[in-house]
């Protein structure tokens, strides 16, 4: 739970500031405190100072958490989920019985140790989705649960066996013997390498990963989308802190108004602002993932959009005071 709470902070904190600022401004307006402040000469800029100060502190805290703690929490949470799924899978496998719960795969083991996950006389039949069939025989096997190593994975290790590939079109049979084989069952093909996942890495590790991008692309260990993720990760973490400032200001300005003004209008305006931002950001983010625009385009366009919205809301306060 701690890991998932940490992972949700980048999304939760800006929205929390947004809605709490709306509530705070609504209370000020409802009790005419806002009108009193303006009538004694407080400008809107001076009124926004405590709101911006709080958002700066929250944004700085979020950036500090993003430096090491949030990425580590994400990696740990992913490892725990992998471990739970792996244990759930092995609990359904009974020694001496055929396991048929996986589509297009038949699994059999003569003996299975429920504690060490060691197996004897393993048989696997897999329909690979083409004209070929894959059959694996192994004298010994073991399900390896995700550990604390950099490569967080669950897979099956097989020793001393054979792989038989049979082509249905020409009835050709190929046989390959092995001493050790790492085999991923289809439910476990969420295998991933933490070292090339930018959202699981600390701030310092991101710089080292960025230097490896050309080499990783050449070896086809990452694709273009992953390359964009690596280049934009630091900007993404900075952006979440900047978003705290924008959301707190926009929320406060949305909540301000004459004490007789309906709160339904304020809620509707806040809802429209959120839609505009998220549609804009994710639309250009999708283009950036496809390398159609530079990776920084979603952040630049969103910054301009939020700046225009904040300026409009700020300018509209002159009309609200005189209404």
């Amino acid at each position: 739970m701690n890991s998932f709470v940490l992972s949700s902070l980048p999304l939760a904190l800006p929205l929390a500031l947004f809605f709490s600022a709306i509530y705070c401004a609504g209370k000020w307006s409802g009790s005419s405190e806002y009108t009193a402040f303006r009538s004694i000469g407080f400008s809107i800029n001076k009124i926004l100072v405590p709101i911006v100060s709080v958002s700066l502190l929250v944004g700085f805290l979020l950036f500090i958490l993003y430096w090491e703690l949030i990425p580590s929490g994400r990696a740990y949470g992913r490892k725990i989920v992998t471990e739970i799924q792996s244990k759930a899978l092995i609990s359904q496998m009974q020694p001496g019985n055929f396991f048929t719960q996986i589509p297009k795969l038949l699994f059999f083991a003569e003996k299975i140790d429920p504690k060490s996950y060691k197996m004897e006389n393993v048989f696997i039949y897999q329909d690979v989705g083409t004209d070929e069939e894959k059959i694996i025989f192994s004298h010994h096997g073991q399900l390896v649960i995700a550990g604390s190593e950099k490569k967080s994975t669950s897979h099956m290790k097989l020793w001393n066996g054979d792989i038989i590939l049979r082509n249905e079109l020409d009835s050709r049979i190929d046989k390959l013997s092995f001493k050790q084989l790492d085999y991923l069952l289809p439910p476990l093909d969420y295998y991933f390498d933490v070292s090339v996942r930018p959202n699981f890495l600390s701030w310092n590790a991101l710089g080292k990963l960025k230097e490896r991008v050309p080499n990783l692309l050449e070896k086809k260990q990452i694709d273009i989308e992953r390359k964009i993720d690596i280049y934009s990760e630091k900007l993404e973490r900075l952006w979440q802190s900047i978003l705290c400032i924008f959301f707190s200001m926009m929320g406060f300005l949305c909540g301000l108004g004459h004490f007789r003004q309906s709160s339904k209008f304020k809620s509707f305006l806040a809802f429209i602002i959120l839609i505009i931002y998220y549609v804009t950001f994710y639309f250009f983010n999708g283009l950036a993932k496809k390398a159609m625009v530079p990776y920084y385009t979603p952040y630049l366009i969103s910054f301009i959009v939020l700046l225009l919205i904040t300026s409009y809301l700020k300018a509209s306060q002159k009309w609200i005071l005189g209404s």
Side-chain angles (χ1 to χ4, degrees):
M1 286 299 296
N2 291 338
S3 300
F4 289 111
V5 168
L6 283 172
S7 300
S8 65
L9 284 180
L11 176 63
L13 285 181
L15 289 175
L17 287 171
F18 183 72
F19 291 113
S20 60
I22 292 176
Y23 177 80
C24 176
K27 287 293 185 180
W28 277 22
S29 300
S31 60
S32 300
E33 291 181 49
Y34 172 64
T35 305
F37 278 131
R38 294 300 297 269
S39 64
I40 62 177
F42 275 71
S43 66
I44 189 64
N45 290 333
K46 187 175 291 188
I47 293 174
L48 282 172
V49 168
I51 305 299
V52 174
S53 299
V54 171
S55 64
L56 281 171
L57 289 174
V58 174
F60 179 72
L61 173 63
L62 181 59
F63 180 75
I64 294 299
L65 292 175
Y66 244 141
W67 193 273
E68 180 76 39
L69 193 58
I70 292 178
S72 299
R74 286 174 175 171
Y76 180 77
R78 183 64 179 267
K79 186 194 74 171
I80 294 299
V81 170
T82 303
E83 183 177 350
I84 292 173
Q85 290 177 328
S86 302
K87 289 182 177 179
L89 178 66
I90 196 66
S91 65
Q92 299 177 41
M93 295 180 176
Q94 300 297 324
N97 294 329
F98 284 97
F99 180 73
T100 60
Q101 301 300 317
I102 303 174
K104 298 183 178 181
L105 187 137
L106 185 64
F107 175 85
F108 175 87
E110 185 177 346
K111 295 182 180 180
I112 301 177
D113 189 332
K115 295 183 178 180
S116 63
Y117 309 120
K118 291 183 178 180
M119 309 172 186
E120 293 184 13
N121 297 327
V122 178
F123 167 84
I124 299 174
Y125 169 83
Q126 182 178 356
D127 183 355
V128 295
T130 61
D131 296 324
E132 285 187 341
E133 295 176 324
K134 180 187 289 186
I135 300 173
I136 301 177
F137 296 97
S138 176
H139 292 290
H140 303 282
Q142 182 178 13
L143 184 65
V144 181
I145 304 299
S148 59
E149 68 276 6
K150 286 187 176 181
K151 288 189 176 182
S152 181
T153 175
S154 290
H155 59 283
M156 186 172 291
K157 282 186 176 294
L158 302 173
W159 290 277
N160 301 323
D162 300 302
I163 301 176
I164 299 175
L165 296 176
R166 177 179 175 272
N167 194 306
E168 295 181 354
L169 295 180
D170 54 13
S171 299
R172 188 181 77 252
I173 296 178
D174 297 322
K175 180 180 177 181
L176 175 65
S177 298
F178 62 86
K179 290 185 177 180
Q180 180 176 325
L181 175 69
D182 286 347
Y183 178 74
L184 293 179
L185 293 171
L188 306 181
D189 59 9
Y190 44 74
Y191 169 89
F192 66 98
D193 188 349
V194 175
S195 65
V196 295
R197 291 280 182 129
N199 55 336
F200 290 93
L201 299 178
S202 65
W203 184 272
N204 293 330
L206 283 173
K208 298 178 181 178
L209 176 59
K210 192 173 181 180
E211 296 175 357
R212 296 172 51 208
V213 166
N215 187 38
L216 292 172
L217 282 173
E218 184 179 352
K219 294 181 179 179
K220 296 183 178 180
Q221 294 180 344
I222 61 172
D223 53 16
I224 296 298
E225 185 173 340
R226 182 60 51 79
K227 172 189 172 183
I228 300 301
D229 290 337
I230 294 171
Y231 278 110
S232 63
E233 181 63 23
K234 284 189 175 182
L235 187 57
E236 170 69 19
R237 298 183 184 186
L238 288 170
W239 175 248
Q240 293 299 325
S241 297
I242 296 173
L243 207 58
C244 290
I245 302 173
F246 271 118
F247 270 28
S248 62
M249 291 178 63
M250 291 189 303
F252 189 77
L253 293 171
C254 278
L256 291 176
H258 194 274
F259 66 92
R260 292 181 179 177
Q261 189 176 11
S262 173
S263 60
K264 293 182 179 180
F265 173 77
K266 301 174 185 178
S267 301
F268 178 74
L269 180 60
F271 181 68
I272 292 298
I273 290 174
L274 289 179
I275 290 179
I276 291 174
Y277 164 70
Y278 283 110
V279 168
T280 301
F281 180 81
Y282 285 107
F283 172 75
F284 285 99
N285 189 55
L287 296 180
K289 294 280 188 181
K290 298 177 182 178
M292 298 175 66
V293 296
Y295 70 90
Y296 54 80
T297 301
Y299 307 97
L300 179 60
I301 299 296
S302 298
F303 180 85
I304 294 173
V305 169
L306 294 180
L307 187 63
L308 291 174
I309 293 175
T310 305
S311 300
Y312 168 76
L313 293 173
K314 184 179 175 183
S316 65
Q317 297 307 312
K318 299 177 182 178
W319 296 97
I320 293 174
L321 182 60
S323 59

